[in-house]
Amino acid sequence: MLKFPIRMVLFDYGNVIARVDHRRFFMNLLGPSLPEEKATELVRDCYFGKHSLGVQFESGTLSFSEFQKRLELFLAQAFSPEVFRDSFNRMFENVPATFQLIRELHGVYRLGLLSNTNDVHFEDVIRKIEIFSLFDQVSLSYQVGVMKPDLRIFQDALAKSGCHAEEILYLDDIEGYVEAGRSMGFQAICCRQPELVMNSLRGELL
């Protein structure tokens, strides 16, 4: 149950606005015959796990060219910059229900984006989605220098909003990030099934 007044709705990107599957990156890069189990292992070990290349990249401490070089070393295989970048960008699938709700909320509430992301995904994918111009503000991990659930990225969003924390509704698919938002005083909802959540919110917010 939401508490009112709400002045701002703050959206995560991955799996809220667009579904993201990091396995697709490796399957795009290494070929569709790559078993899903192997792709899952590569995501775990190379991207988020012991090598944490994705974490470094999305924290703004690693350039995309360095990210590519280190991943190539791990895979013992080289790729052209064009193939690598194209493979990296083709891991998203838009969630139409979220797009529609954002259109309907525009002009009624302040809208914001709060995302763990990198400069390539922001420039090549996120900025090019048709609803991006409807956001009043963005807080991005690679720009702030920290990733969720670090509270500094939530503080960045709050400072830009001009709202009190309790006037912000935050939507994310990861419970730990939702809890971080709540610790800031935001109203926050976990969106593991974004279509259901967006349809429910439509009835409450509009």
Side-chain angles (χ1 to χ4, degrees), residues 33-156:
S33 61
L34 180 72
E36 285 193 10
E37 297 80 7
K38 180 60 177 177
T40 299
E41 179 184 326
L42 288 171
V43 171
R44 183 181 65 245
D45 291 345
C46 303
Y47 203 83
F48 293 115
K50 57 188 177 183
H51 296 279
S52 68
L53 296 180
V55 174
Q56 294 177 61
F57 185 31
E58 295 195 346
S59 298
T61 60
L62 200 66
S63 70
F64 188 58
S65 61
E66 188 64 26
F67 173 71
Q68 178 176 349
K69 288 177 185 176
R70 294 193 188 182
L71 195 55
E72 287 175 335
L73 284 174
F74 183 86
L75 297 172
Q77 189 171 348
F79 308 91
S80 73
E82 295 78 15
V83 166
F84 191 88
R85 192 173 186 126
D86 179 67
S87 298
F88 186 65
N89 283 331
R90 289 189 292 113
M91 64 171 77
F92 300 99
E93 181 182 354
N94 294 337
V95 178
T98 310
F99 272 55
Q100 183 59 34
L101 183 63
I102 289 171
R103 293 188 191 98
E104 293 174 7
L105 296 180
H106 177 61
V108 181
Y109 299 90
R110 184 174 179 85
L111 300 176
L113 178 67
L114 172 59
S115 181
N116 286 345
T117 193
N118 54 77
D119 59 339
V120 171
H121 280 162
F122 181 64
E123 295 295 339
D124 290 3
V125 181
I126 298 173
R127 285 189 67 169
K128 293 181 179 179
I129 60 175
E130 61 190 83
I131 58 168
F132 180 75
S133 63
L134 304 183
F135 288 110
D136 299 290
Q137 65 179 69
V138 297
S139 293
L140 309 172
S141 60
Y142 81 93
Q143 293 180 347
V144 179
V146 295
M147 295 178 67
K148 295 180 287 186
D150 191 303
L151 293 184
R152 284 174 288 180
I153 194 169
F154 292 89
Q155 290 164 349
D156 182 80

